[in-house]
Amino acid sequence: MAKVHITNVVVLDNPSSCFNPFQFELTFVYLEELKEGLEWKLIYVGSAESEYYEQVDTTYVGRIPEGRHIFVLQTEPPDVTKIPEPNAVVVTIVLLTCSYRCQEFMRVAYFVNNDYADPEMRENRPSKLMFDKLVRNILATKPRVTHFKINWPSRIT
């Protein structure tokens, strides 16, 4: 049985500039205190054709007592210089994962739409990509949540 339950994820500052940090408010319940903390990863898929363009930001949360907790996970935005231009103005994916002792037990996937804020620029794409005019819109109402069974430790004594 899982020892940590993520009960809510709220995408903050959405939509926003593609240069703004990602922000997620996470609510979770520790059913019991664990010896080690959790590892949260935000994975931005820069191209569906290759994992090479994935950008990963990792945050560690130390030991937390039993009970309900809320915190805001903030990560750097993707480095736009590492995104192939044909993949910059498209729908992509951002994954939020949580692991305990290098075992992923939860994943939340969101579609992300990157497009120009200006309707005229959406209709008539500029010949040169203008990252400063792009808006990132995480489709927060339709996450895909996956849970994985892991080997949780016995109760701490």
Side-chain angles (χ1 to χ4, degrees):
M1 180 168 134
K3 308 258 178 165
V4 178
H5 293 280
I6 290 42
T7 58
N8 196 29
V9 179
V10 178
V11 180
L12 304 175
D13 191 25
N14 187 49
S16 70
S17 163
C18 67
F19 292 113
N20 287 356
F22 286 103
Q23 295 181 61
F24 296 89
E25 181 184 86
L26 305 161
T27 305
F28 55 97
V29 176
Y30 270 54
L31 299 180
E32 65 184 64
E33 184 176 354
L34 299 170
K35 284 186 176 184
E36 298 170 35
L38 300 178
E39 177 187 69
W40 293 89
K41 284 185 184 176
L42 185 125
I43 303 164
Y44 181 85
V45 178
S47 172
E49 286 82 38
S50 173
E51 289 181 15
Y52 175 79
Y53 298 106
E54 287 183 0
Q55 296 183 49
V56 180
D57 200 330
T58 304
T59 302
Y60 298 94
V61 176
R63 287 179 67 173
I64 296 177
E66 189 175 313
R68 181 177 178 266
H69 305 276
I70 299 174
F71 82 101
V72 173
L73 175 69
Q74 180 172 306
T75 68
E76 292 300 314
D79 180 345
V80 296
T81 65
K82 296 179 180 176
I83 300 171
E85 283 201 18
N87 298 104
V89 185
V90 295
V91 174
T92 188
I93 296 173
V94 67
L95 304 169
L96 182 63
T97 71
C98 192
S99 300
Y100 180 74
R101 291 185 175 171
C102 298
Q103 301 174 85
E104 182 182 336
F105 65 90
M106 190 268 324
R107 176 182 297 179
V108 182
Y110 294 98
F111 285 109
V112 180
N113 185 38
N114 297 309
D115 209 343
Y116 292 103
D118 181 358
E120 176 64 29
M121 292 179 84
R122 281 197 303 266
E123 285 293 319
N124 302 301
R125 303 269 188 217
S127 57
K128 182 172 175 8
L129 185 60
M130 302 172 71
F131 280 104
D132 61 325
K133 304 287 185 191
L134 291 179
V135 172
R136 174 184 68 222
N137 186 11
I138 300 172
L139 305 178
T141 59
K142 298 190 185 232
R144 169 80 177 181
V145 180
T146 307
H147 298 276
F148 304 97
K149 281 188 110 171
I150 67 167
N151 295 319
W152 293 98
S154 301
R155 184 175 269 287
I156 297 175
T157 55

